[in-house]
Amino acid sequence: TVAFSEAASALGANIKTGHDVKELSQQQDGSWQVISNQGEFKAKTLALAVGAWSKPVGDMLGIDIPITPIRGQMWATEPVPPSIFHLIGSMESAFDWSSQPPSHGHPREITHHGDTRITRHLYGGQSRNGEIIFGGDRQSVGYDYSQNAEGIEVNRGQASEVIPLVAKLPISRTWSGMMPFSMDGKPIIGKVPGFKNLFILTGLASSGFGRGPMAGKLLADYIHTSYPAPVLAESDPARCITFK
């Protein structure tokens, strides 16, 4: 995140942090006004790229953006000499997700339905500073950032099955974050129906770092040219965003 923001700033982006958006309103000329706890902003075109907070932002506009915040959590060991030279993943979750029927009321490819675990999910590797970092749980708990110790241990146990070395290393730190999951598993990228000069980019689920840069470019190109790239057809917001 820091690297992305620094690169954007170097190209002229003006990034403001700590702004709690209170109100969004469209003016008669089609421009937008954004009111935060620290000031007021105006723009000809507004792009909503608020990730797991898409639904409450949609509420400000009277629309339903069907994004569920999913908590992911990670853990890391103390730095150790180079031991893992590739990103590691497990096919267990992919197999389970492919064999399960669609679940009404739950996004796809999560590890829990409510408090019930339906699969284990694993990914991770070793960072440049020597930490071994893994994670995988994806759970719908609202905006609760607290870490689930049991989930961390389940994930650590799975990592130990793949890399026995991990079982001998104590966990030095844990953290969690929110990911934006759509109900059909597809991103939501494009023009918001029913509004002028309003666009959205959300629903990248757990792969925001991987897909985010190109998704941002595709949306920027759409805004500047008024023509969406063909690859955005299945991401059309009109398929799922509705007025309340």
Side-chain angles (χ1 to χ4, degrees):
T1 302
V2 173
F4 282 142
S5 65
E6 289 179 348
S9 296
L11 293 173
N14 185 3
I15 299 175
K16 295 185 179 295
T17 60
H19 284 257
D20 184 7
V21 174
K22 301 295 186 181
E23 182 181 337
L24 302 173
S25 60
Q26 189 159 40
Q27 309 304 297
Q28 290 185 347
D29 63 357
S31 64
W32 285 89
Q33 181 183 54
V34 179
I35 298 176
S36 80
N37 62 332
Q38 297 191 42
E40 178 182 314
F41 304 89
K42 294 183 178 180
K44 178 181 178 181
T45 300
L46 183 64
L48 306 177
V50 293
W53 289 264
S54 296
K55 195 171 186 65
V57 169
D59 291 342
M60 296 182 188
L61 298 169
I63 57 176
D64 180 41
I65 303 175
I67 289 293
T68 300
I70 298 295
R71 182 184 65 194
Q73 51 186 25
M74 306 288 291
W75 54 273
T77 69
E78 292 288 348
V80 296
S83 307
I84 302 174
F85 303 97
H86 305 281
L87 290 177
I88 303 295
S90 169
M91 292 301 294
E92 178 179 330
S93 55
F95 175 79
D96 288 343
W97 288 328
S98 67
S99 61
Q100 292 167 358
S103 176
H104 298 292
H106 298 286
R108 299 180 179 182
E109 298 188 358
I110 58 177
T111 57
H112 295 70
H113 286 172
D115 294 328
T116 302
R117 178 179 292 277
I118 58 174
T119 191
R120 300 185 303 176
H121 181 56
L122 178 73
Y123 65 91
Q126 188 168 18
S127 65
R128 290 184 178 181
N129 72 351
E131 287 183 311
I132 293 177
I133 300 174
F134 276 98
D137 271 8
R138 303 173 178 179
Q139 191 170 9
S140 177
V141 292
Y143 293 100
D144 181 1
Y145 277 86
S146 61
Q147 285 110 56
N148 181 321
E150 180 183 358
I152 293 289
E153 284 304 316
V154 168
N155 190 253
R156 182 170 181 258
Q158 187 180 13
S160 300
E161 293 171 14
V162 180
I163 306 171
L165 164 70
V166 173
K168 304 175 183 178
L169 301 174
I171 294 176
S172 64
R173 63 188 182 103
T174 63
W175 65 97
S176 63
M178 293 295 161
M179 301 176 286
F181 275 61
S182 66
M183 296 306 293
D184 62 6
K186 299 176 182 178
I188 303 174
I189 306 173
K191 191 175 186 301
V192 178
F195 293 91
K196 293 181 179 180
N197 305 324
L198 181 63
F199 294 80
I200 188 169
L201 193 166
T202 189
L204 298 182
S206 63
S207 57
F209 278 109
R211 295 190 290 176
M214 181 52 70
K217 183 180 186 306
L218 288 169
L219 183 63
D221 289 346
Y222 185 0
I223 293 172
H224 284 291
T225 67
S226 299
Y227 294 99
V231 72
L232 291 179
E234 68 174 15
S235 302
D236 188 355
R239 80 182 192 278
C240 60
I241 292 180
T242 58
F243 279 88
K244 295 185 175 182

